[in-house]
Amino acid sequence: MTIYNILTLPNKILREKSEPVKNISEEIIEILNNMAETMYDAPGIGLAAVQVGIKKRLVVMDCSKEEDKKVLIKFINPEIISKSNEKSIYEEGCLSIPDFSEDVERFSTCVVQYMDLNGKKQILECEGLMATCIQHEIDHLNGKLFIDHISRLKREKITRKFIKLSKQKLTK
Ligand code: NI
């Protein structure tokens, strides 16, 4: 297994749209396994393929709280097919925007349709942290980041900080 390098702000790939997966090849399965490894290593509760530079509609997620009860879900081409009118607020973070978190309002519950590793269509009802997490990850597949949901002032501030950091890294 491979632990991928996670791209961070302001990498432009994070703003690109990911392509649907047509065939579940060995390669796709391997990417998903490596993504899970990368997510647990980080550690994080969700990871989209584009965050490791692979522009395919793939997401791994594990919102379980207890270390010994892992609930890993591998999503191929996930999409939200329905959502609640109700909204809820969670303090979100992102592996591509390290050491930053902010409250984000999203739909409280949603229903996600995706393909499993056998190419079978699956329907998953999400609530709580899982609902927030899958909306965050599907945003990634569309080139969107959680900072797009916060105030412009805060977004510009954090973006500037990361641009500065990336320039410092380049000059080192
Ligand atoms: Ni993220």
Side-chain angles (χ1 to χ4, degrees):
M1 292 228 213
T2 310
I3 290 176
Y4 294 125
N5 180 33
I6 299 174
L7 307 179
T8 54
L9 205 68
N11 195 305
K12 288 193 170 68
I13 295 170
L14 294 170
R15 290 307 191 174
E16 290 177 29
K17 208 175 160 176
S18 298
E19 292 293 323
V21 172
K22 291 193 184 105
N23 308 306
I24 305 168
S25 59
E26 285 295 315
E27 188 204 355
I28 293 294
I29 291 168
E30 202 185 319
I31 291 170
L32 283 162
N33 287 337
N34 291 337
M35 282 169 63
E37 190 94 338
T38 306
M39 174 184 74
Y40 286 125
D41 177 71
I45 59 171
L47 186 75
V50 68
Q51 291 181 273
V52 296
I54 300 168
K55 290 191 287 173
K56 294 183 192 298
R57 300 188 83 82
L58 299 170
V59 166
V60 292
M61 210 168 97
D62 185 346
C63 293
S64 62
K65 300 227 167 70
E66 287 157 71
E67 184 67 28
D68 55 339
K69 285 185 208 147
K70 285 185 177 166
V71 188
L72 174 65
I73 310 173
K74 293 168 177 167
F75 297 90
I76 300 168
N77 303 335
E79 55 180 310
I80 291 166
I81 54 170
S82 76
K83 55 210 174 193
S84 58
N85 291 323
E86 261 168 77
K87 301 265 184 95
S88 51
I89 295 173
Y90 266 93
E91 188 179 337
E92 294 188 24
C94 180
L95 294 174
S96 294
I97 313 172
D99 305 317
F100 178 74
S101 61
E102 193 62 53
D103 282 349
V104 175
E105 189 182 61
R106 294 188 190 268
F107 302 106
S108 301
T109 65
C110 60
V111 180
V112 180
Q113 178 182 300
Y114 66 99
M115 227 159 45
D116 67 15
L117 296 180
N118 301 313
K120 216 177 138 211
K121 198 202 278 179
Q122 298 286 344
I123 302 279
L124 185 67
E125 287 178 36
C126 301
E127 55 173 28
L129 182 58
M130 251 175 94
T132 285
C133 191
I134 194 66
Q135 289 170 72
H136 174 125
E137 300 309 329
I138 291 175
D139 268 1
H140 273 301
L141 304 182
N142 297 320
K144 208 166 170 184
L145 298 170
F146 87 92
I147 53 171
D148 300 346
H149 295 276
I150 67 176
S151 77
R152 190 176 152 186
L153 200 75
K154 283 178 183 166
R155 180 170 59 251
E156 285 177 353
K157 196 175 162 200
I158 189 70
T159 305
R160 274 199 303 274
K161 189 184 151 193
F162 274 88
I163 289 170
K164 211 172 144 189
L165 276 173
S166 70
K167 281 181 185 156
Q168 279 169 2
K169 271 185 215 156
L170 286 176
T171 52
K172 259 179 202 167

